[in-house]
Amino acid sequence: QGVVDDLRRRLASQATALKSAAAAAHALETRIDDESSDNVAARRARTLAEENMVLAQRAAEVAHQEALEARSFEVELRAAAERNMGKTSQDLDTTRRRAEQAEEQLMLATEHNDQLQAQLRAAEDKVGELAGDT
């Protein structure tokens, strides 16, 4: 009887130890599941962050390319504007020279007209003198 009681106590003690071990195992399993869920979430977050970084790098590359294209376009526009300004300046110089030539021709024509009028008056005076002499 004493041996049976001793065995019962041992079994009860082992059962209690097994219950404690089962509870600890369950707690450990729950903790592992939680950590595993956290790790999965962390991996997902890291993957998303990496994808966002790749997208940001691509956006930066596109922006850089667009900036280069804009700079190239600006250079082309400046060159075209400088060519146009040079042509406009040449056209302005040509127009100015033509205006000066026209002004000189007008002055010469005016002088010639004055000379012709003087000759006409002289001729009229001569005609008047000849007519008065007869």
Side-chain angles (χ1 to χ4, degrees), residues 33-56:
D33 285 345
D34 290 346
E35 287 178 4
S36 177
S37 294
D38 289 346
N39 286 340
V40 168
R43 278 194 296 263
R44 284 185 188 150
R46 181 178 178 176
T47 300
L48 288 174
E50 288 171 350
E51 289 172 358
N52 284 337
M53 186 172 67
V54 168
L55 290 175

mmCIF file of all heavy atoms in Angstrom, residues 33-56:
data_model
loop_
_atom_site.group_PDB
_atom_site.id
_atom_site.type_symbol
_atom_site.label_atom_id
_atom_site.label_comp_id
_atom_site.label_asym_id
_atom_site.label_seq_id
_atom_site.Cartn_x
_atom_site.Cartn_y
_atom_site.Cartn_z
ATOM 1 N N ASP A 33 4.572 31.754 -32.382
ATOM 2 C CA ASP A 33 3.604 32.191 -33.399
ATOM 3 C C ASP A 33 3.556 33.711 -33.505
ATOM 4 O O ASP A 33 3.527 34.271 -34.612
ATOM 5 C CB ASP A 33 2.201 31.651 -33.073
ATOM 6 C CG ASP A 33 2.056 30.164 -33.370
ATOM 7 O OD1 ASP A 33 2.924 29.608 -34.086
ATOM 8 O OD2 ASP A 33 1.066 29.567 -32.896
ATOM 9 N N ASP A 34 3.534 34.383 -32.324
ATOM 10 C CA ASP A 34 3.512 35.853 -32.320
ATOM 11 C C ASP A 34 4.770 36.416 -32.975
ATOM 12 O O ASP A 34 4.694 37.338 -33.799
ATOM 13 C CB ASP A 34 3.377 36.389 -30.890
ATOM 14 C CG ASP A 34 1.998 36.123 -30.296
ATOM 15 O OD1 ASP A 34 1.079 35.770 -31.079
ATOM 16 O OD2 ASP A 34 1.844 36.272 -29.067
ATOM 17 N N GLU A 35 5.929 35.838 -32.600
ATOM 18 C CA GLU A 35 7.186 36.316 -33.183
ATOM 19 C C GLU A 35 7.235 36.012 -34.674
ATOM 20 O O GLU A 35 7.715 36.812 -35.468
ATOM 21 C CB GLU A 35 8.383 35.683 -32.460
ATOM 22 C CG GLU A 35 8.611 36.253 -31.078
ATOM 23 C CD GLU A 35 9.778 35.573 -30.347
ATOM 24 O OE1 GLU A 35 10.448 34.715 -30.948
ATOM 25 O OE2 GLU A 35 10.012 35.933 -29.182
ATOM 26 N N SER A 36 6.718 34.856 -35.046
ATOM 27 C CA SER A 36 6.676 34.503 -36.459
ATOM 28 C C SER A 36 5.785 35.485 -37.214
ATOM 29 O O SER A 36 6.146 35.949 -38.305
ATOM 30 C CB SER A 36 6.153 33.077 -36.623
ATOM 31 O OG SER A 36 6.054 32.752 -37.985
ATOM 32 N N SER A 37 4.631 35.828 -36.639
ATOM 33 C CA SER A 37 3.742 36.818 -37.258
ATOM 34 C C SER A 37 4.441 38.164 -37.351
ATOM 35 O O SER A 37 4.348 38.855 -38.380
ATOM 36 C CB SER A 37 2.450 36.965 -36.452
ATOM 37 O OG SER A 37 1.712 35.773 -36.505
ATOM 38 N N ASP A 38 5.147 38.524 -36.262
ATOM 39 C CA ASP A 38 5.891 39.793 -36.282
ATOM 40 C C ASP A 38 6.973 39.762 -37.358
ATOM 41 O O ASP A 38 7.183 40.753 -38.058
ATOM 42 C CB ASP A 38 6.518 40.070 -34.907
ATOM 43 C CG ASP A 38 5.476 40.423 -33.855
ATOM 44 O OD1 ASP A 38 4.320 40.711 -34.232
ATOM 45 O OD2 ASP A 38 5.823 40.397 -32.649
ATOM 46 N N ASN A 39 7.659 38.619 -37.473
ATOM 47 C CA ASN A 39 8.709 38.491 -38.489
ATOM 48 C C ASN A 39 8.125 38.573 -39.894
ATOM 49 O O ASN A 39 8.701 39.223 -40.779
ATOM 50 C CB ASN A 39 9.480 37.171 -38.323
ATOM 51 C CG ASN A 39 10.411 37.197 -37.126
ATOM 52 O OD1 ASN A 39 10.773 38.263 -36.645
ATOM 53 N ND2 ASN A 39 10.796 36.024 -36.651
ATOM 54 N N VAL A 40 6.981 37.927 -40.108
ATOM 55 C CA VAL A 40 6.330 38.000 -41.413
ATOM 56 C C VAL A 40 5.943 39.441 -41.710
ATOM 57 O O VAL A 40 6.174 39.952 -42.817
ATOM 58 C CB VAL A 40 5.098 37.056 -41.469
ATOM 59 C CG1 VAL A 40 4.258 37.334 -42.699
ATOM 60 C CG2 VAL A 40 5.543 35.605 -41.439
ATOM 61 N N ALA A 41 5.375 40.111 -40.720
ATOM 62 C CA ALA A 41 4.983 41.513 -40.906
ATOM 63 C C ALA A 41 6.212 42.375 -41.168
ATOM 64 O O ALA A 41 6.183 43.270 -42.027
ATOM 65 C CB ALA A 41 4.219 42.016 -39.690
ATOM 66 N N ALA A 42 7.294 42.110 -40.431
ATOM 67 C CA ALA A 42 8.524 42.881 -40.627
ATOM 68 C C ALA A 42 9.094 42.624 -42.020
ATOM 69 O O ALA A 42 9.550 43.559 -42.690
ATOM 70 C CB ALA A 42 9.548 42.513 -39.558
ATOM 71 N N ARG A 43 9.047 41.370 -42.471
ATOM 72 C CA ARG A 43 9.538 41.062 -43.829
ATOM 73 C C ARG A 43 8.685 41.761 -44.877
ATOM 74 O O ARG A 43 9.202 42.299 -45.858
ATOM 75 C CB ARG A 43 9.547 39.547 -44.054
ATOM 76 C CG ARG A 43 10.770 38.852 -43.476
ATOM 77 C CD ARG A 43 10.902 37.436 -44.006
ATOM 78 N NE ARG A 43 9.798 36.581 -43.596
ATOM 79 C CZ ARG A 43 9.818 35.754 -42.554
ATOM 80 N NH1 ARG A 43 10.881 35.673 -41.801
ATOM 81 N NH2 ARG A 43 8.760 35.021 -42.264
ATOM 82 N N ARG A 44 7.371 41.752 -44.654
ATOM 83 C CA ARG A 44 6.479 42.450 -45.602
ATOM 84 C C ARG A 44 6.785 43.951 -45.625
ATOM 85 O O ARG A 44 6.856 44.568 -46.687
ATOM 86 C CB ARG A 44 5.018 42.226 -45.217
ATOM 87 C CG ARG A 44 4.514 40.869 -45.589
ATOM 88 C CD ARG A 44 3.034 40.723 -45.298
ATOM 89 N NE ARG A 44 2.605 39.350 -45.487
ATOM 90 C CZ ARG A 44 1.628 38.774 -44.833
ATOM 91 N NH1 ARG A 44 0.942 39.467 -43.928
ATOM 92 N NH2 ARG A 44 1.298 37.526 -45.065
ATOM 93 N N ALA A 45 6.962 44.510 -44.426
ATOM 94 C CA ALA A 45 7.277 45.938 -44.342
ATOM 95 C C ALA A 45 8.608 46.226 -45.030
ATOM 96 O O ALA A 45 8.746 47.234 -45.752
ATOM 97 C CB ALA A 45 7.318 46.391 -42.888
ATOM 98 N N ARG A 46 9.589 45.349 -44.827
ATOM 99 C CA ARG A 46 10.898 45.543 -45.454
ATOM 100 C C ARG A 46 10.769 45.428 -46.978
ATOM 101 O O ARG A 46 11.348 46.233 -47.713
ATOM 102 C CB ARG A 46 11.891 44.509 -44.935
ATOM 103 C CG ARG A 46 13.256 44.664 -45.533
ATOM 104 C CD ARG A 46 14.226 43.670 -44.981
ATOM 105 N NE ARG A 46 15.514 43.844 -45.621
ATOM 106 C CZ ARG A 46 16.575 43.176 -45.300
ATOM 107 N NH1 ARG A 46 16.533 42.288 -44.331
ATOM 108 N NH2 ARG A 46 17.706 43.386 -45.928
ATOM 109 N N THR A 47 10.010 44.448 -47.444
ATOM 110 C CA THR A 47 9.802 44.281 -48.883
ATOM 111 C C THR A 47 9.129 45.523 -49.465
ATOM 112 O O THR A 47 9.539 46.029 -50.522
ATOM 113 C CB THR A 47 8.943 43.028 -49.165
ATOM 114 O OG1 THR A 47 9.617 41.880 -48.649
ATOM 115 C CG2 THR A 47 8.690 42.852 -50.642
ATOM 116 N N LEU A 48 8.115 46.022 -48.768
ATOM 117 C CA LEU A 48 7.437 47.238 -49.235
ATOM 118 C C LEU A 48 8.400 48.428 -49.259
ATOM 119 O O LEU A 48 8.390 49.227 -50.199
ATOM 120 C CB LEU A 48 6.224 47.553 -48.359
ATOM 121 C CG LEU A 48 5.024 46.617 -48.534
ATOM 122 C CD1 LEU A 48 3.949 46.947 -47.504
ATOM 123 C CD2 LEU A 48 4.458 46.728 -49.936
ATOM 124 N N ALA A 49 9.216 48.523 -48.218
ATOM 125 C CA ALA A 49 10.181 49.624 -48.165
ATOM 126 C C ALA A 49 11.182 49.517 -49.314
ATOM 127 O O ALA A 49 11.526 50.523 -49.950
ATOM 128 C CB ALA A 49 10.914 49.618 -46.826
ATOM 129 N N GLU A 50 11.632 48.283 -49.594
ATOM 130 C CA GLU A 50 12.572 48.097 -50.703
ATOM 131 C C GLU A 50 11.915 48.443 -52.036
ATOM 132 O O GLU A 50 12.525 49.086 -52.892
ATOM 133 C CB GLU A 50 13.081 46.648 -50.728
ATOM 134 C CG GLU A 50 14.039 46.342 -49.583
ATOM 135 C CD GLU A 50 14.376 44.858 -49.462
ATOM 136 O OE1 GLU A 50 13.723 44.035 -50.140
ATOM 137 O OE2 GLU A 50 15.286 44.531 -48.696
ATOM 138 N N GLU A 51 10.648 48.016 -52.207
ATOM 139 C CA GLU A 51 9.926 48.351 -53.438
ATOM 140 C C GLU A 51 9.755 49.864 -53.571
ATOM 141 O O GLU A 51 9.918 50.419 -54.664
ATOM 142 C CB GLU A 51 8.566 47.655 -53.465
ATOM 143 C CG GLU A 51 8.656 46.154 -53.666
ATOM 144 C CD GLU A 51 7.313 45.454 -53.498
ATOM 145 O OE1 GLU A 51 6.308 46.127 -53.183
ATOM 146 O OE2 GLU A 51 7.283 44.228 -53.673
ATOM 147 N N ASN A 52 9.428 50.512 -52.453
ATOM 148 C CA ASN A 52 9.285 51.976 -52.478
ATOM 149 C C ASN A 52 10.611 52.645 -52.813
ATOM 150 O O ASN A 52 10.640 53.660 -53.521
ATOM 151 C CB ASN A 52 8.744 52.493 -51.146
ATOM 152 C CG ASN A 52 7.265 52.226 -50.993
ATOM 153 O OD1 ASN A 52 6.558 52.050 -51.979
ATOM 154 N ND2 ASN A 52 6.785 52.179 -49.766
ATOM 155 N N MET A 53 11.704 52.101 -52.298
ATOM 156 C CA MET A 53 13.015 52.669 -52.577
ATOM 157 C C MET A 53 13.337 52.525 -54.067
ATOM 158 O O MET A 53 13.823 53.462 -54.698
ATOM 159 C CB MET A 53 14.093 51.972 -51.744
ATOM 160 C CG MET A 53 15.456 52.622 -51.873
ATOM 161 S SD MET A 53 16.664 51.957 -50.735
ATOM 162 C CE MET A 53 16.846 50.300 -51.365
ATOM 163 N N VAL A 54 13.018 51.358 -54.644
ATOM 164 C CA VAL A 54 13.250 51.147 -56.077
ATOM 165 C C VAL A 54 12.399 52.133 -56.889
ATOM 166 O O VAL A 54 12.886 52.750 -57.846
ATOM 167 C CB VAL A 54 12.945 49.681 -56.482
ATOM 168 C CG1 VAL A 54 12.889 49.524 -57.985
ATOM 169 C CG2 VAL A 54 13.976 48.743 -55.877
ATOM 170 N N LEU A 55 11.130 52.294 -56.496
ATOM 171 C CA LEU A 55 10.254 53.247 -57.195
ATOM 172 C C LEU A 55 10.788 54.672 -57.074
ATOM 173 O O LEU A 55 10.760 55.442 -58.039
ATOM 174 C CB LEU A 55 8.826 53.158 -56.655
ATOM 175 C CG LEU A 55 8.065 51.868 -56.995
ATOM 176 C CD1 LEU A 55 6.717 51.856 -56.285
ATOM 177 C CD2 LEU A 55 7.874 51.737 -58.498
ATOM 178 N N ALA A 56 11.267 55.016 -55.883
ATOM 179 C CA ALA A 56 11.818 56.364 -55.682
ATOM 180 C C ALA A 56 13.070 56.561 -56.533
ATOM 181 O O ALA A 56 13.269 57.641 -57.114
ATOM 182 C CB ALA A 56 12.143 56.593 -54.198
#
